[in-house]
């Protein structure tokens, strides 16, 4: 993100920020009324300096949204193009140059408490897996039973860790250690649940039931969870965060590759 090339310049005559650039992988942009955009307010700046954080209206001629079809056949995410897109002067969050700081605060929220509600959806999916295992007798296999028990246990641990995270006083805006590990934990748990679901279904997992031959909930879940360990920061990046910020280990060395 620190390599962002999208630019923002303030147009004195219009009294607005003008944004030019492009962003790929924007989840639900095609359904959104507003978008957060990080753009370079200082054209001579590099890396995480000189960025601004803008809250922009989507419904305007300067913004073009192009959905990307995923392996699941659906299109939750998009490419978004900004071509002289306009942002109200009052809709910059913080000051020009503060963009990185604001983005880090937002990411802390995205990787932490904002995702707690998804545990309910996880429970529903696990219930579906258990129901499928009972229906096709996969539950009689001791290894499958053990993996289901482990998934159940993992979801409980996720819940208790969330409670622990919420019990902290968050008024200082800082991320506590319990929150640092949350993204890595749930993404890995969910990816494993997808694999368990397919092993429970056995050969049936390759079959589309009937016209219009749409994926079942579990098939779709299996394909989508591959992306859980990528978006919102990959598992490797989460491990770096835990090591550096949680455990106080030395920072990853910066490497410059000259081509
Ligand atoms: C389904 C989906 C939805 C998304 N939705 C959004 C969205 O709404 N908004 C948005 O802004 N973005 C979104 N993204 C983008 C997502 O945040 C990025 O794809 C993700 O953060 C990884 O960054 P990258 O693609 O640049 O990969 P890279 O950073 O290029 O990483 C490539 C590989 O290198 C590894 N790697 C990179 N750096 C290190 C390191 N320092 N140490 C060890 N390994 C490293 C990574 O773990 C990964 O395996 C979405 C992505 C997906 C797949």
């Amino acid at each position: 993100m620190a390599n962002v090339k999208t630019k923002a310049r303030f147009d004195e005559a219009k009294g607005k920020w003008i944004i030019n650039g492009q962003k790929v992988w924007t989840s639900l942009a095609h359904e959104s009324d507003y978008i957060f955009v990080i753009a370079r307010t200082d054209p001579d700046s590099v890396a995480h300096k000189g960025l601004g954080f803008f809250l922009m209206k989507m419904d305007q001629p300067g913004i073009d949204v192009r959905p990307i079809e995923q392996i699941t056949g659906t299109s939750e995410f998009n490419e978004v193009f900004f071509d002289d897109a306009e942002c109200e002067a009052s809709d910059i969050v913080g000051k020009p140059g503060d963009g990185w700081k604001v983005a880090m605060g937002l990411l802390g929220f995205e990787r932490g408490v904002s995702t707690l509600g998804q545990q309910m959806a996880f429970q529903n999916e696990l219930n579906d897996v258990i129901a499928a295992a009972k229906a096709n007798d996969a539950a009689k296999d001791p290894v499958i039973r053990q993996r289901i028990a482990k998934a159940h246990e993992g979801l409980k641990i996720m819940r208790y860790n969330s409670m622990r995270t919420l019990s902290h006083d968050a008024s200082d805006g800082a991320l506590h250690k319990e929150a640092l590990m949350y993204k890595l934990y749930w993404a890995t748990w969910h990816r494993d649940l997808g694999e368990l679901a397919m092993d429970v279904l056995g050969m049936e997992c390759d079959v589309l039931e009937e016209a219009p031959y749409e994926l079942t909930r579990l098939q779709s879940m299996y394909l989508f969870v591959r992306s859980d360990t990528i978006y919102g920061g990959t598992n490797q990046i989460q491990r770096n965060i835990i090591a550096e910020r949680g455990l106080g280990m030395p920072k990853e060395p910066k490497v410059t590759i000259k081509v």
Side-chain angles (χ1 to χ4, degrees):
M1 199 163 74
N3 285 326
V4 64
K5 301 277 187 292
T6 299
K7 292 196 170 51
R9 71 179 162 80
F10 193 71
D11 186 319
E12 298 287 347
K14 285 188 171 168
K16 291 180 179 183
W17 288 95
I18 308 296
I19 316 283
N20 278 286
Q22 172 191 349
K23 171 79 177 78
V24 76
W25 309 124
T26 306
S27 299
L28 302 175
H30 58 304
E31 291 179 6
S32 302
D33 297 323
Y34 283 86
I35 186 168
F36 282 124
V37 180
I38 296 163
R40 214 161 271 293
T41 47
D42 174 358
D44 300 322
S45 62
V46 287
H48 56 279
K49 298 198 174 106
L51 300 173
F53 194 103
F54 300 89
L55 175 59
M56 297 177 63
K57 283 196 180 109
M58 293 292 283
D59 186 15
Q60 57 163 302
I63 297 188
D64 181 23
V65 178
R66 299 184 199 164
I68 301 171
E69 192 175 325
Q70 294 161 221
I71 196 172
T72 49
T74 53
S75 303
E76 278 104 356
F77 59 58
N78 307 265
E79 280 182 289
V80 183
F81 294 84
F82 305 92
D83 190 8
D84 284 337
E86 297 183 353
C87 178
E88 300 299 327
S90 55
D91 286 346
I92 180 168
V93 184
K95 297 192 194 78
D98 278 351
W100 184 259
K101 203 167 80 183
V102 179
M104 289 302 112
L106 177 94
L107 270 182
F109 176 71
E110 182 187 334
R111 291 170 182 164
V113 290
S114 82
T115 47
L116 295 189
Q118 73 185 7
Q119 287 178 25
M120 254 86 87
F122 289 171
Q123 183 66 61
N124 288 340
E125 287 169 354
L126 178 58
N127 292 346
D128 283 357
V129 172
I130 294 171
K134 283 182 179 165
N136 72 359
D137 280 349
K140 289 189 176 151
D141 177 337
V143 176
I144 292 283
R145 270 211 310 276
Q146 195 172 12
R147 285 172 65 193
I148 289 176
K150 199 136 188 61
H152 170 78
E153 175 193 299
L155 194 52
K156 289 278 177 243
I157 291 171
M158 210 185 295
R159 180 171 164 75
Y160 293 133
N161 191 56
S162 307
M163 302 292 226
R164 203 162 59 147
T165 309
L166 288 174
S167 68
H168 283 295
D169 173 13
S171 53
D172 60 359
L175 264 188
H176 293 275
K177 288 180 184 170
E178 294 81 3
L180 293 181
M181 63 191 184
Y182 186 58
K183 167 76 195 355
L184 175 67
Y185 192 87
W186 74 252
T188 308
W189 180 91
H190 204 206
R191 187 189 60 194
D192 292 349
L193 184 72
E195 284 171 13
L196 173 61
M198 295 304 99
D199 290 341
V200 162
L201 294 179
M203 286 169 68
E204 208 189 309
C205 78
D206 284 336
V207 179
L208 299 179
E209 277 172 359
E210 58 192 36
Y213 302 109
E214 282 169 3
L215 295 170
T216 63
R217 209 162 101 116
L218 289 182
Q219 287 167 331
S220 185
M221 188 262 286
Y222 168 69
L223 292 174
F224 190 82
V225 296
R226 311 308 301 174
S227 67
D228 283 344
T229 54
I230 300 173
Y231 64 78
T234 65
N235 272 12
Q236 287 77 16
I237 292 297
Q238 301 306 319
R239 288 194 175 92
N240 278 355
I241 292 172
I242 293 169
E244 293 174 14
R245 290 197 229 155
L247 303 175
M249 290 170 75
K251 282 209 178 289
E252 182 185 19
K254 295 266 175 271
V255 181
T256 312
I257 300 170
K258 289 190 177 153
V259 192

